[in-house]
Amino acid sequence: MKNLIKDLMRSKAGLIGAILLLLIVFVAVFAPFLDLPDPTRGDLRARLAGPTWDGLFSPGAHPLGTDEVGRDILSRMIHGSRVTLLVATTAVVLGGIVGTALGIWAGYKGGLVDRVLMRLVDIQLAIPLMLLALLVVAALGPSLRNVVLVLALTSWIRYARIIRAQVLSLREREFVQSAHAIGASTMRIMFFHILPNVLTPALVVGTLELARIIIMDSALSFLGLGVQPPTPSWGRMLADGRVYISSAWWTVTFPGLAIVLTVLSVNLFGDWLRDYFDPKTRNKK
Amino acid sequence: MKNLQKLLSATAVAACMTTSAFALDITIAQTSAVNTLDPHASASVGLDLSVLSHIYPTLLLRAPDYSLQPSLATEWKAIDDLTWQFTLTPDATFANGEKLDAQTVAWNINRVTDADNPKRISSWFSQVESVNVISPTEFQIKTSSPYPALADQLSMFMLLPPEWAEANDPTSETISGFLYEISEYVPGDHITLKPNESYWGDESAKFDSVTFRVIPETASRIASLLAGEVDMINSVPASELARIDASDMASAGAVDSTRSVFIKFNTEKAPLDNKLFRQALNYAVDKDLIAEALFDGRANVSACQVMTPDYFGFNPDLTAYEYDPEKAKQLLEESGVDLSQPIEFELPSGQYLQGAEVTQAVAQMFEDVGVKTEIQSMEFGAYLDKYRKAHDLGRLSLLGQAWATIDADGLLTLFKPGNQYSYWNDATFDQHLIAGGSTTDQDSRLAAYKAATEVMCDEAPVVFLYAQPATYGVSSRVTYQPRGDDWMRAFDMMPAE
């Protein structure tokens, strides 16, 4: 752990990513305790008001302006981050659990199980993920739960492939062979001997997946298939604000910026994490 | 003589071309692509029918001031309650030489009234019993019951050449019988029209070419207009009009449209079957604020009816429900409705001008009096399927309706018990509608619709909101006569001086 932090301090990009990400998560978690205007209620008379820093701390100030029905954009952005992060992390964890489990199973068992699962992965890889997500949400109806399910569905294959490749080499290692020789059950070997050794790659895949899923979640809500108004979400804010893009730039600029910064910080952090766990790049330093 | 006229107008066009060659090619932006080229297979005035009305002739045309003007028919009158007589322009033909005579009109009406092969617009003529051809330029239409709006309806009915239509597929091919013909068609992108050389009328096409281009994004439409790429756009958010007007390239404005926007109740489901609850929701919405803030004062608040003042049958004595949240709360209490569960509020996305904004504003006003809602946005097609096919409309939804004949006889029928669109079954209202439809006498019709609108106002099967403004922007290269009934036609425009 000490090593980890020391290495992070040395990597500029990783450090910036980590700080930014921590900040975003912190604000998202503590949003209800910040004294923000209600993100779902607006004042029609104050619609499309521009950003202003006058009277910043007075009630009714809109430092980042208001949207097309007079709601505070700063508050919607912050509350939107809660929704986005909740959806993205749940989907990543869900996809990670399913993908890792199936990857271990396929890699360790081999044979028919492996062939069927990997062909399934191939089939899903051949379908554009956005199309798959659109179809499923359109069929099940837009809701928070369905969006999480859909995003997890598009995510498990990436874990499954990478984990399976790891397991293929782990399977031949002595500690696995010896566990097998003393009569450990397959379940036990997979759970106690293989799983701990694939957690690191799973973690790295997970971080990179997080960035992709945030983008995809925003795309789905941009298309109106994510959480429903008036609940704030970044994609939806972009979609509703784009009509006014040339007369009220703040309606799209700030939610757009939120997506960019979040994804950037996750990617920077994820890249560093990958380098850290990859012996080849770590030893070079 | 006729040839001389043609020669003269041709020279006039040529003269214009040399002086202002660019002013004669115009582009009109449409919000979505044309679905079909068969004028009998679409009822979409703002889209398919607008394009096709440049190509196919109609008996009458509706002018921007909503008056009916002669086109192929020179005269028309109701002889008695059940008979209409029309006189046609002699010697009119399609581009392939087929005659545009009474026989052709009869064939076209029979094509859509054929019970074995119904068309999208067959319901327009369900009351038509027969067409009697008297001479090549005269015919009569007999109806089974009085149909005072028949002439208005015929202004949307385009004519196909019978022989050509038998041999070709009208859904994907066209042949001209009017001012313009198609010179290029790229499905989903644009349709370009050029003047029809063999047009039978006296006036001539005012533009060398008219292009209908599909630009679904509002911001892109405005940008294209300001960049001089298109000459006309519609569906502009009200607050953007001033910005367009400020530019040298274009001007913008709004007129009252014939489309009323309201919150449709599904009164077949609880608690919307409760009259007090429905009235309470009407008191809960600040219609003036919506019209003023969201539409910059360009929308007119509905006077407790779905008709706008342009309609025949508009009731001038009704006034809108006042905005009175206290009264709404009181009525909600009296209604005894359990308010703990949220009510679904369906929003057809992208269909109505600033519809998502109105829906969210109304939902917030409902919440202020204690009625929780859950907005569900969906594609307009999915919404229509629920509304029309599945008959499973959400308890609340945003809806805008208009009737192209601008007559109570059409628009109020959408609320008639038994109509698949109604979701409201009121016997008294039904009686008044039946009374209004059983005569062509103007005064008795007005009296009947007055009574019907009074019932509707009191029973409140919708939250009456506002008449959607018909917003538009036009480039400074053309002048345009704005209209509020969805038609987008080059013949409402003139090259600017």
Side-chain angles (χ1 to χ4, degrees):
Chain A
M1 193 63 193
K2 239 182 195 165
N3 266 342
L4 199 79
I5 292 173
K6 218 185 233 170
D7 193 273
L8 181 60
M9 289 299 179
R10 272 206 300 270
S11 154
K12 270 196 205 99
L15 189 65
I16 293 174
I19 292 174
L20 211 55
L21 193 59
L22 270 177
L23 198 75
I24 292 167
V25 171
F26 181 83
V27 172
V29 168
F30 291 99
F33 304 106
L34 302 172
D35 187 22
L36 290 166
D38 188 330
T40 61
R41 301 184 56 82
D43 173 10
L44 285 186
R45 287 179 195 85
R47 76 190 280 265
L48 296 176
T52 168
W53 291 70
D54 298 338
L56 190 57
F57 297 102
S58 64
H62 303 295
L64 300 187
T66 60
D67 70 359
E68 68 287 345
V69 282
R71 294 171 300 207
D72 184 63
I73 287 189
L74 178 66
S75 170
R76 282 180 74 70
M77 246 173 76
I78 290 174
H79 281 89
S81 72
R82 289 167 70 82
V83 177
T84 303
L85 291 181
L86 182 77
V87 167
T89 39
T90 324
V92 165
V93 170
L94 206 64
I97 292 172
V98 174
T100 309
L102 291 178
I104 293 177
W105 192 31
Y108 190 73
K109 280 281 201 180
L112 187 63
V113 173
D114 185 32
R115 283 208 298 277
V116 169
L117 279 175
M118 286 307 114
R119 286 309 77 75
L120 213 59
V121 169
D122 287 342
I123 290 170
Q124 200 182 318
L125 276 176
I127 307 173
L129 292 184
M130 199 64 210
L131 179 69
L132 185 73
L134 279 176
L135 287 177
V136 176
V137 176
L140 296 179
S143 77
L144 201 63
R145 193 198 56 194
N146 291 344
V147 172
V148 169
L149 285 180
V150 161
L151 293 175
L153 181 73
T154 67
S155 178
W156 72 276
I157 46 174
R158 285 159 202 258
Y159 297 92
R161 284 204 128 182
I162 290 171
I163 302 299
R164 170 183 170 272
Q166 292 275 323
V167 174
L168 284 182
S169 68
L170 284 173
R171 191 170 65 171
E172 308 302 329
R173 298 273 289 276
E174 291 83 358
F175 67 95
V176 176
Q177 294 290 335
S178 60
H180 187 63
I182 60 169
S185 70
T186 309
M187 275 308 279
R188 192 184 163 81
I189 295 175
M190 290 198 295
F191 201 78
F192 287 104
H193 298 279
I194 295 192
L195 180 63
N197 287 293
V198 296
L199 276 185
T200 320
L203 191 68
V204 173
V205 174
T207 335
L208 297 174
E209 275 294 282
L210 189 62
R212 191 184 64 84
I213 281 184
I214 289 174
I215 298 253
M216 216 152 140
D217 168 55
S218 302
L220 281 180
S221 30
F222 182 86
L223 295 171
L225 296 171
V227 293
Q228 291 297 299
T231 310
S233 79
W234 292 340
R236 185 90 205 184
M237 289 172 81
L238 279 181
D240 291 342
R242 74 187 195 276
V243 174
Y244 300 102
I245 189 164
S246 36
S247 56
W249 53 270
W250 54 91
T251 53
V252 287
T253 308
F254 295 118
L257 215 56
I259 297 173
V260 170
L261 286 181
T262 312
V263 172
L264 182 69
S265 65
V266 172
N267 270 335
L268 288 177
F269 183 70
D271 276 349
W272 166 79
L273 205 64
R274 188 189 57 203
D275 290 349
Y276 180 81
F277 285 120
D278 188 344
K280 277 182 232 150
T281 48
R282 188 149 59 130
N283 293 342
K284 269 183 201 154
K285 285 179 186 164
Chain B
M1 187 60 204
K2 197 128 208 181
N3 278 338
L4 185 65
Q5 258 182 6
K6 261 198 184 139
L7 189 70
L8 281 176
S9 60
T11 5
V13 168
C16 287
M17 278 175 69
T18 48
T19 51
S20 56
F22 294 108
L24 293 172
D25 295 305
I26 59 160
T27 304
I28 297 174
Q30 288 193 303
T31 49
S32 57
V34 164
N35 299 306
T36 175
L37 293 177
D38 183 347
H40 300 162
S42 171
S44 169
V45 171
L47 189 61
D48 305 338
L49 295 186
S50 277
V51 174
L52 293 170
S53 72
H54 293 78
I55 302 163
Y56 290 118
T58 45
L59 291 169
L60 318 163
L61 278 178
R62 197 187 277 288
D65 64 0
Y66 306 150
S67 65
L68 289 178
Q69 301 295 329
S71 183
L72 180 64
T74 50
E75 275 171 57
W76 62 97
K77 59 176 183 287
I79 298 178
D80 56 56
D81 270 8
L82 301 177
T83 316
W84 284 78
Q85 176 149 340
F86 294 82
T87 311
L88 302 180
T89 308
D91 302 328
T93 57
F94 286 97
N96 65 349
E98 270 189 75
K99 285 198 166 56
L100 250 170
D101 56 10
Q103 207 64 51
T104 300
V105 178
W107 180 88
N108 274 279
I109 293 178
N110 290 333
R111 182 175 189 250
V112 292
T113 50
D114 180 5
D116 298 333
N117 191 7
K119 298 275 184 266
R120 174 75 181 81
I121 59 167
S122 293
S123 62
W124 293 354
F125 299 111
S126 54
Q127 285 159 268
V128 170
E129 220 167 47
S130 64
V131 184
N132 302 330
V133 176
I134 299 169
S135 74
T137 57
E138 271 176 314
F139 68 96
Q140 286 181 344
I141 297 179
K142 292 259 183 209
T143 58
S144 55
S145 55
Y147 191 179
L150 178 67
D152 303 81
Q153 195 73 73
L154 285 171
S155 75
M156 304 161 64
F157 180 62
M158 289 158 218
L159 306 170
L160 292 168
E163 282 170 37
W164 174 87
E166 301 286 353
N168 296 276
D169 178 11
T171 54
S172 57
E173 292 166 76
T174 61
I175 186 157
S176 180
F178 201 51
L179 280 163
Y180 292 90
E181 60 181 313
I182 290 187
S183 64
E184 190 184 26
Y185 177 31
V186 181
D189 188 66
H190 71 266
I191 293 182
T192 304
L193 309 175
K194 64 177 187 198
N196 171 20
E197 303 291 341
S198 59
Y199 173 54
W200 41 268
D202 293 334
E203 53 179 327
S204 59
K206 281 172 261 171
F207 301 102
D208 270 358
S209 77
V210 178
T211 303
F212 285 90
R213 225 175 90 192
V214 183
I215 310 180
E217 283 290 330
T218 307
S220 319
R221 271 202 307 281
I222 299 175
S224 303
L225 177 72
L226 293 181
E229 287 165 16
V230 301
D231 297 287
M232 194 202 162
I233 62 173
N234 66 359
S235 290
V236 182
S239 54
E240 301 290 282
L241 294 175
R243 191 167 66 85
I244 297 174
D245 231 6
S247 116
D248 298 337
M249 297 294 290
S251 57
V255 290
D256 292 344
S257 80
T258 54
R259 185 173 299 278
S260 262
V261 176
F262 45 84
I263 310 296
K264 176 94 178 163
F265 296 150
N266 183 346
T267 67
E268 290 165 5
K269 292 182 184 171
L272 276 309
D273 54 353
N274 186 322
K275 177 177 166 185
L276 290 178
F277 185 74
R278 298 197 302 258
Q279 288 182 332
L281 293 186
N282 269 285
Y283 282 112
V285 177
D286 190 348
K287 279 98 24 190
D288 290 314
L289 178 63
I290 290 177
E292 202 53 49
L294 286 182
F295 293 100
D296 261 8
R298 309 253 190 179
N300 283 332
V301 172
S302 301
C304 207
Q305 55 195 313
V306 290
M307 284 179 286
T308 67
D310 287 320
Y311 278 80
F312 178 84
F314 174 78
N315 184 345
D317 300 331
L318 291 175
T319 50
Y321 279 85
E322 277 167 64
Y323 171 55
D324 190 343
E326 291 314 312
K327 177 141 193 187
K329 281 181 202 160
Q330 189 195 328
L331 283 173
L332 283 175
E333 205 164 303
E334 281 173 37
S335 73
V337 170
D338 170 26
L339 299 176
S340 60
Q341 293 300 314
I343 302 175
E344 70 278 5
F345 193 162
E346 293 176 344
L347 160 65
S349 56
Q351 183 65 21
Y352 302 113
L353 188 67
Q354 297 171 268
E357 295 167 25
V358 172
T359 303
Q360 295 184 68
V362 169
Q364 185 177 327
M365 291 167 186
F366 284 170
E367 206 185 311
D368 287 340
V369 296
V371 178
K372 287 200 273 294
T373 58
E374 193 182 273
I375 297 176
Q376 296 173 351
S377 61
M378 55 185 77
E379 290 294 316
F380 186 59
Y383 175 79
L384 271 190
D385 278 349
K386 290 192 78 173
Y387 184 21
R388 206 162 54 194
K389 283 199 194 123
H391 197 82
D392 182 31
L393 203 57
R395 283 174 285 177
L396 304 174
S397 59
L398 182 81
L399 184 60
Q401 283 177 331
W403 197 268
T405 60
I406 320 184
D407 193 300
D409 180 40
L411 192 61
L412 292 187
T413 318
L414 294 170
F415 296 89
K416 192 173 152 58
N419 187 315
Q420 56 177 342
Y421 294 100
S422 172
Y423 291 85
W424 176 53
N425 302 299
D426 190 285
T428 329
F429 179 74
D430 196 20
Q431 281 170 8
H432 294 311
L433 279 199
I434 292 170
S438 61
T439 171
T440 46
D441 177 57
Q442 303 264 353
D443 291 331
S444 11
R445 288 188 69 216
L446 277 177
Y449 293 128
K450 188 169 155 58
T453 47
E454 274 162 13
V455 173
M456 192 166 170
C457 176
D458 182 57
E459 288 288 328
V462 302
V463 175
F464 302 99
L465 292 179
Y466 55 88
Q468 175 170 291
T471 54
Y472 64 90
V474 284
S475 77
S476 42
R477 305 192 305 154
V478 293
T479 56
Y480 170 65
Q481 271 184 286
R483 58 192 302 158
D485 61 352
D486 289 350
W487 286 107
M488 278 185 107
R489 298 199 271 218
F491 30 98
D492 295 337
M493 293 187 223
M494 290 283 282
E497 294 299 312

